[in-house]
Amino acid sequence: MRALPVGDDALLVEVSSGEEAQALHAELLRRRAEGTLAVREIVPAARTVLLDGLPDPARLAAELTTSEVPPALSRTEEVVELPVRYDGPDLADVAALWDVSEEAVAGIHADTEFRVAFCGFAPGFGYLTGLPARYDVPRRATPRTSVPAGAVALAGPYTGVYPRSSPGGWQLIGTTDAVLWDHARVPAALLSPGTRVRFVPVGRR
């Protein structure tokens, strides 16, 4: 673990894996909730956690780099279920990469419980982990200039849902009508780091 100063009151903590980043994020949230950590924002990413608004970043940096972070415990709140039609234009390509049928891709994906590792790219976009490493897929060689809102996609170890139309290079395997980002909703984002997620097939599987 390495803690790097960011400005006067922030730290960027680097770890060696996504699992460690999730565990560190959970531990920091726990400390803030119990009142032993004063911090304004805690923002996880693939292998880092940013802490902003710290009264004494140097002291926390010394503490973190000499301590062990316990594994993240399973959160007990309800699973967010996202209805999905497995009708994506890249479904056949993913099936070929996995060496299974298109129906099997849908079954494997829908039978997996995912967890939001971190958010980014666009408001409401969560990077979901849960599929075994053997199902990692590469990004498309040529990104699309426009991916529709609600597209369910795979890239590397992640599953994601495009909250709005945008360019993108992920492999599209399905579609959902779930609203990932709504300014009128509190919170606006349907998914946040640590949220448990399942995809529920509707229509084609």
Side-chain angles (χ1 to χ4, degrees):
M1 186 185 302
R2 186 167 69 145
L4 305 173
V6 180
D8 295 328
D9 60 356
L11 284 177
L12 183 67
V13 184
E14 297 180 341
V15 292
S16 59
S17 69
E19 291 76 13
E20 288 183 30
Q22 292 177 50
L24 177 61
H25 178 243
E27 173 65 9
L28 294 170
L29 288 177
R30 184 192 66 77
R31 292 188 190 184
R32 182 170 67 176
E34 71 179 13
T36 59
L37 174 63
V39 60
R40 185 170 59 248
E41 290 189 78
I42 306 172
V43 184
R47 291 182 178 83
T48 63
V49 179
L50 175 69
L51 296 99
D52 190 26
L54 292 166
D56 190 349
R59 182 187 62 79
L60 182 61
E63 176 191 339
L64 289 176
T65 54
T66 57
S67 62
E68 291 190 10
V69 176
L73 299 176
S74 297
R75 289 169 57 162
T76 58
E77 75 272 16
E78 292 184 5
V79 177
V80 173
E81 295 187 343
L82 302 180
V84 58
R85 297 178 297 280
Y86 286 99
D87 56 3
D90 300 322
L91 185 62
D93 291 341
V94 171
L97 288 167
W98 289 5
D99 195 24
V100 299
S101 67
E102 294 181 24
E103 292 73 18
V105 171
I108 292 165
H109 193 260
D111 289 342
T112 300
E113 182 176 298
F114 294 89
R115 182 178 299 275
V116 181
F118 56 97
C119 297
F121 169 63
F125 188 93
Y127 290 77
L128 281 62
T129 57
L131 286 171
R134 65 181 178 276
Y135 297 126
D136 287 7
V137 298
R139 295 170 185 259
R140 287 175 52 84
T142 303
R144 293 180 170 90
T145 57
S146 180
V147 175
V152 178
L154 305 177
Y158 301 113
T159 289
V161 180
Y162 285 77
R164 64 186 184 196
S165 178
S166 67
W170 289 32
Q171 308 278 358
L172 308 183
I173 63 168
T175 311
T176 181
D177 295 325
V179 178
L180 278 293
W181 180 267
D182 182 354
H183 287 287
R185 184 172 57 199
V186 180
L190 179 63
L191 306 179
S192 61
T195 301
R196 299 162 61 201
V197 179
R198 275 194 177 276
F199 291 89
V200 180
V202 293
R204 176 184 176 183
R205 177 171 177 177

